[in-house]
Amino acid sequence: MITCHVRDEIDPAQIEAFERFAMRWMELVDRHGGTHHGYVLPAEGALLPATESQVSRS
């Protein structure tokens, strides 16, 4: 089993684009046998750091 933790910096003006990316990415992880545990976004900040956690099964 492989666990990945990813940290993205999101431009606050591009939150809608990031939401579309995130939904598509979660679909792809699930389709290829992994489990995506979602994203964690802070409430404020100039650049919003987002973290995600996903598990791939071997």
Side-chain angles (χ1 to χ4, degrees), residues 27-58:
E27 291 171 6
L28 291 171
V29 169
D30 290 341
R31 181 183 305 161
H32 293 283
T35 303
H36 196 289
H37 296 284
Y39 289 86
V40 178
L41 297 172
E44 59 187 54
L47 286 177
L48 303 176
T51 57
E52 66 179 278
S53 178
Q54 55 192 324
V55 176
S56 298
R57 291 177 174 73
S58 52

Side-chain angles (χ1 to χ4, degrees), residues 2-55:
I2 299 169
T3 301
C4 299
H5 296 275
V6 179
R7 184 178 188 276
D8 300 303
E9 288 194 6
I10 306 163
D11 179 342
Q14 297 295 321
I15 290 177
E16 288 182 16
F18 181 79
E19 288 174 350
R20 288 190 303 273
F21 161 80
M23 295 302 292
R24 184 69 177 133
W25 185 249
M26 287 189 283
E27 291 171 6
L28 291 171
V29 169
D30 290 341
R31 181 183 305 161
H32 293 283
T35 303
H36 196 289
H37 296 284
Y39 289 86
V40 178
L41 297 172
E44 59 187 54
L47 286 177
L48 303 176
T51 57
E52 66 179 278
S53 178
Q54 55 192 324
V55 176

